[in-house]
Amino acid sequence: MRSLIDILDFSVEEIDVLIAAADKIIENPAEYAEKCRGKKLATLFYEPSTRTRLSFEAAMMELGGNVIGFSEAASSSAAKGESIADTARIISCYADIIAMRHPKEGAPLIAAKYASIPVINAGDGGHNHPTQTLTDLLTIAREKKRLSSLTVGLCGDLKFGRTVHSLICAMARYSDVKFVLISPDELKLPSYVKKDVLKKNNIPYLQTASLEEAMPELDILYMTRVQRERFFNEEDYLRLKDSYILDKNKLAGAKDDLIIMHPLPRVNEIDPSVDDDPRACYFRQANYGKYIRMALILKLLEIS
Ligand code: NCD
């Protein structure tokens, strides 16, 4: 039995197969409408979510399965003090697969240890978000037609942004990928990601505070929200929240075939005037999220 806790739990080959499976689902969704008949997905969300939870639920429904779960810790037994281990054991009696989001780093890993069904990490604190990364990889594969030979600019909150950490781990395995890390000094990529992923694998990267300077080089611009909920004080958040606002002027020096991505939700970091630019693909990206999650559910339930 497999779970997905860290994006590196899947090999590059397995990710290729998943992307190909998602492409097939996009081409012919009707063929998949009964694949999970009689199966249940439990969504255990201890933190807010729109896209991740609802795309998981829509994914399971479009596979003909059912969904149970909760969308806030307060409405679960966590509010009474139940441990993750016990919750995981119990949900294993009620469902066939779990998607869990939790504010504590490592919580889904604990759940996977005690569950007797597959567990999917749907975001753990400021740590990882592997299913967003699968979404991002499908987006890049479809929009750029390749996952190698790319210069990837990551902009915003690289410190707390879990989608950034997982995406760097995943992209570092493809050839000829370079990263441009664009953030204010206080929101730089954590040193463990730099050391264990970038330096260890000799991946070229550049750190800068200037989005304008980085722009002409980029094949992908991955914007992120400043993660208010992870800050220790509101003052720091208020000072840093509008560090980068992408607008039409800032795109002046960009490549014609740049793609602009964002895991969403956006707050202020992309001006809505950018939405009509053909290079903006964040809404398509959100749509791809459902299809890759359909492919993932099928993989983990070993349904072909
Ligand atoms: C991201 C997350 O939860 O980390 N959202 C998502 O799942 N699409 C990004 C964010 O909240 O900023």
Side-chain angles (χ1 to χ4, degrees):
M1 191 193 71
R2 301 279 300 276
S3 284
L4 174 63
I5 304 302
D6 186 304
I7 192 67
L8 299 181
D9 292 345
F10 286 177
S11 68
V12 171
E13 292 71 30
E14 283 182 298
I15 289 177
D16 284 349
V17 171
L18 261 186
I19 290 175
D23 281 335
K24 278 182 70 183
I25 299 171
I26 292 170
E27 265 165 45
N28 194 357
E31 211 175 280
Y32 295 82
E34 299 293 327
K35 294 269 184 196
C36 284
R37 185 63 66 207
K39 300 282 184 195
K40 272 175 272 156
L41 164 75
T43 51
L44 314 184
F45 276 60
Y46 298 80
E47 249 193 2
S49 170
T50 301
R51 266 149 300 274
T52 305
R53 185 171 63 83
L54 297 184
S55 68
F56 261 117
E57 297 189 354
M60 191 49 153
M61 287 174 183
E62 291 192 22
L63 291 167
N66 290 306
V67 177
I68 56 173
F70 51 82
S71 55
E72 48 182 340
S75 63
S76 79
S77 277
K80 300 181 187 168
E82 185 169 60
S83 69
I84 294 288
D86 282 0
T87 303
R89 286 187 179 105
I90 302 309
I91 303 300
S92 299
C93 310
Y94 304 154
D96 300 282
I97 185 164
I98 292 173
M100 174 187 274
R101 168 170 289 188
H102 202 283
K104 275 208 188 114
E105 287 80 7
L109 179 65
I110 305 279
K113 229 172 121 182
Y114 291 92
S116 55
I117 59 176
V119 175
I120 301 168
N121 177 3
D124 63 326
H127 187 216
N128 280 332
H129 194 344
T131 67
Q132 180 63 46
T133 298
L134 292 176
T135 302
D136 299 341
L137 295 174
L138 174 63
T139 305
I140 296 167
R142 288 183 71 90
E143 303 277 330
K144 297 297 295 180
K145 312 284 177 230
R146 65 182 193 275
L147 287 163
S148 54
S149 300
L150 290 165
T151 298
V152 184
L154 299 144
C155 178
D157 187 347
L158 309 188
K159 180 177 180 187
F160 296 117
R162 56 193 173 194
T163 66
V164 167
H165 308 156
S166 293
L167 183 60
I168 289 177
C169 287
M171 292 291 294
R173 296 193 291 184
Y174 297 93
S175 62
D176 191 24
V177 170
K178 293 187 205 102
F179 294 99
V180 185
L181 307 173
I182 308 152
S183 75
D185 204 43
E186 288 150 287
L187 297 178
K188 277 187 179 161
L189 192 71
S191 51
Y192 80 89
V193 184
K194 252 181 267 170
K195 187 166 147 271
D196 299 344
V197 184
L198 299 176
K199 289 185 183 151
K200 192 169 154 197
N201 298 298
N202 285 320
I203 312 288
Y205 72 93
L206 187 108
Q207 283 185 292
T208 175
S210 168
L211 176 57
E212 286 89 335
E213 272 173 42
M215 192 67 87
E217 302 301 318
L218 305 180
D219 299 306
I220 296 170
L221 172 58
Y222 193 96
M223 296 296 294
T224 62
R225 169 180 75 89
V226 176
Q227 307 279 297
R228 180 183 204 157
E229 64 276 33
R230 316 257 179 251
F231 276 70
F232 293 112
N233 71 67
E234 184 74 0
E235 266 166 47
D236 287 347
Y237 168 73
L238 293 174
R239 186 165 46 77
L240 293 165
K241 73 181 176 64
D242 291 329
S243 298
Y244 300 99
I245 300 177
L246 181 67
D247 57 19
K248 287 194 161 168
N249 293 333
K250 294 215 176 76
L251 279 167
K255 290 185 180 173
D256 289 340
D257 63 351
L258 171 77
I259 61 167
I260 306 162
M261 299 174 66
H262 192 310
L264 303 177
R266 80 171 140 187
V267 183
N268 253 342
E269 55 282 350
I270 302 181
D271 188 89
S273 65
V274 175
D275 298 355
D276 294 334
D277 190 303
R279 293 170 290 189
C281 68
Y282 28 92
F283 296 123
R284 293 197 291 282
Q285 184 182 355
N287 185 37
Y288 295 142
K290 182 180 71 183
Y291 295 105
I292 200 78
R293 289 182 173 97
M294 289 171 79
L296 175 64
I297 291 169
L298 290 173
K299 175 181 170 64
L300 295 179
L301 291 179
E302 298 176 15
I303 295 171
S304 52

